[in-house]
């Protein structure tokens, strides 16, 4: 016996503009800028490769592996990136915002 399931919830119709959801766009921009500011501060202190290493170590809870004695700054960057990723995912899955729209909006801010 074959049970048929609806594919509608697996193929949602994404919203392709911010019209009517400007408040969500503003939150996304704010979170992106907060992450960018935090990561730029850490980048200035310890350099690019250490930024990646320290951020991943803080996300994984391995603060003892953070190099350059930048634990507080690394934890701040990891908190900001996790918050940004969670909100971005929520926009896509909860509000059915287009993943391309969300990504393009973040990229505009990150490239400034």
């Amino acid at each position: 016996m074959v049970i048929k399931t609806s594919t509608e919830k697996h193929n949602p119709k994404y919203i392709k503009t911010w019209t009517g959801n400007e408040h969500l766009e503003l939150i996304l921009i704010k979170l992106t800028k907060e992450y960018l500011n935090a990561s730029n501060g850490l980048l200035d202190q310890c350099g690019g490769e250490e930024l990646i290493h320290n951020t991943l170590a803080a996300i994984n809870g391995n603060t003892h592996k953070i190099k350059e004695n930048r634990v507080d700054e690394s934890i701040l960057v990891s908190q900001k990136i996790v918050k940004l990723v969670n909100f971005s995912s929520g926009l896509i899955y909860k509000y059915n915002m287009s993943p391309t729209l969300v990504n393009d909006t973040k990229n505009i801010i990150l490239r400034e």
Side-chain angles (χ1 to χ4, degrees), residues 11-75:
N11 297 318
K13 298 201 184 310
Y14 289 116
I15 300 168
K16 299 193 186 303
T17 67
W18 291 110
T19 305
N21 294 301
E22 291 85 0
H23 63 289
L24 296 174
E25 179 185 22
L26 293 175
I27 295 170
L28 180 63
I29 290 170
K30 178 183 173 241
L31 292 175
T32 304
K33 286 183 178 180
E34 287 177 358
Y35 162 70
L36 186 62
N37 290 337
S39 64
N40 282 342
L42 186 58
L43 179 65
D44 291 343
Q45 293 175 11
C46 65
E49 190 170 316
E50 296 302 321
L51 169 66
I52 295 168
H53 170 81
N54 288 358
T55 302
L56 291 175
I59 288 173
N60 291 327
N62 299 323
T63 54
H64 63 282
K65 293 184 178 181
I66 293 176
K67 299 178 182 176
E68 299 287 330
N69 297 324
R70 303 292 180 209
V71 175
D72 292 338
E73 295 90 349
S74 300
I75 290 172

